[in-house]
Amino acid sequence: MKLNEIKDREGATSARKRVGRGIGSGLGKTGGRGVKGQKSRSGVAINGFEGGQMPIYRRLPKRGFVNIFAKEFAEVSLAKLQTAVDAGKLDAKTTVTAEVLKEAGVIRRVKDGVRVLSDGELKAKLSLEVAGASKAAIEKIEKAGGSIKLLNAAESAE
């Protein structure tokens, strides 16, 4: 085999669909767009347009409020922490921080910090440094012999 003989397997690649190139191509004349009208032309953007009638997204009232300053936390349950310790991903002797949890694959991204929730049981004696935790989670961690340091004391036990 030579370099000039290398090619893809049969059927591995298919030619792109060349629309509007004559009647013999089977995709000619209107090019799959149907006949006439605004949608058959180029440069059409009519999503949400209802022919001059007031569109539904403007007929319905606005509701609610979005707090643009709200913090978004990565949530971790005690059960997930225990599973990570059992699997050997987390070392119970070291201090568990957001970066440690990310490296261990317990959370995907840190966001505005980590908040520990009380789902499940914790048997390991962990030392945690997190942005927040629920009251029940703090109790369970201390009951297991661990300690927890809250970085953002204002947003913690709610």
Side-chain angles (χ1 to χ4, degrees):
M1 176 178 271
K2 298 181 184 117
L3 282 176
N4 67 332
E5 293 172 355
I6 295 172
K7 61 178 186 176
D8 287 328
R9 284 218 169 143
E10 203 61 48
T13 60
S14 54
R16 72 181 180 87
K17 190 183 280 191
R18 293 186 72 227
V19 177
R21 296 292 180 276
I23 209 157
S25 70
L27 300 161
K29 195 180 169 222
T30 53
R33 288 174 179 259
V35 184
K36 294 185 181 177
Q38 188 179 8
K39 284 186 170 177
S40 71
R41 317 280 187 235
S42 66
V44 174
I46 54 173
N47 272 356
F49 181 72
E50 297 182 22
Q53 170 179 291
M54 187 62 67
I56 192 153
Y57 63 87
R58 288 187 58 200
R59 274 179 278 164
L60 297 173
K62 291 182 188 174
R63 290 264 310 154
F65 164 78
V66 176
N67 183 1
I68 60 169
F69 302 108
K71 288 195 169 9
E72 195 177 340
F73 295 106
E75 294 172 352
V76 178
S77 66
L78 294 178
K80 209 168 187 182
L81 288 173
Q82 185 60 49
T83 306
V85 170
D86 293 342
K89 291 179 181 177
L90 281 180
D91 185 16
K93 293 172 188 77
T94 60
T95 304
V96 178
T97 61
E99 286 69 35
V100 171
L101 290 172
K102 188 176 187 297
E103 286 169 25
V106 178
I107 57 172
R108 192 177 292 171
R109 54 186 73 83
V110 177
K111 297 182 182 174
D112 292 320
V114 175
R115 194 157 199 278
V116 181
L117 303 178
S118 69
D119 301 355
E121 287 300 316
L122 185 69
K123 294 182 217 83
K125 188 177 170 182
L126 289 177
S127 171
L128 294 149
E129 250 181 61
V130 290
S134 65
K135 284 178 184 171
I138 293 169
E139 286 171 19
K140 285 183 181 180
I141 291 164
E142 288 169 351
K143 188 178 149 199
S147 65
I148 184 159
K149 181 184 173 193
L150 301 176
L151 303 174
N152 304 12
E155 285 110 25
S156 61
E158 291 166 9

